[in-house]
Amino acid sequence: MTTTVPTSTEIIAAFPDIPRPHDGPPTYLSLKELRDTLKANAASVETTLGGGSHGHLGAILPFDVYDAITPPPAGQPHSWIDPPFPGAM
């Protein structure tokens, strides 16, 4: 069985939105647009973690915001796993 690894161009083309370049210093609107684009792209990547309904959106949002969108079952912690050494990934 042969496995092919997608190129970076193929990976980028699979995302629903591509971040637009921004000239000049960042503004609230340019940062919001970038955040929204990243959220859409993360949510489009399939996963089975957390029920799989929101892709990798939990990688972009703070835990409290993600849990407000997708609350875990009563009495259970969120299914997101913290990296062992934050900043090392």
Side-chain angles (χ1 to χ4, degrees):
M1 182 162 114
T2 304
T3 303
T4 59
V5 176
T7 66
S8 58
T9 303
E10 292 169 330
I11 292 170
I12 292 169
F15 286 130
D17 295 315
I18 305 299
R20 294 185 309 143
H22 176 76
D23 293 327
T27 64
Y28 172 81
L29 291 177
S30 68
L31 292 173
K32 181 181 181 314
E33 180 181 306
L34 177 60
R35 183 189 64 191
D36 291 346
T37 299
L38 293 175
K39 288 182 349 189
N41 289 341
S44 74
V45 179
E46 293 182 12
T47 182
T48 57
L49 298 174
S53 300
H54 302 283
H56 285 273
L57 186 59
I60 301 295
L61 296 178
F63 291 138
D64 57 339
V65 175
Y66 184 71
D67 281 348
I69 295 170
T70 60
Q76 295 184 8
H78 62 76
S79 61
W80 199 257
I81 300 169
D82 294 334
F85 302 104
M89 299 182 128

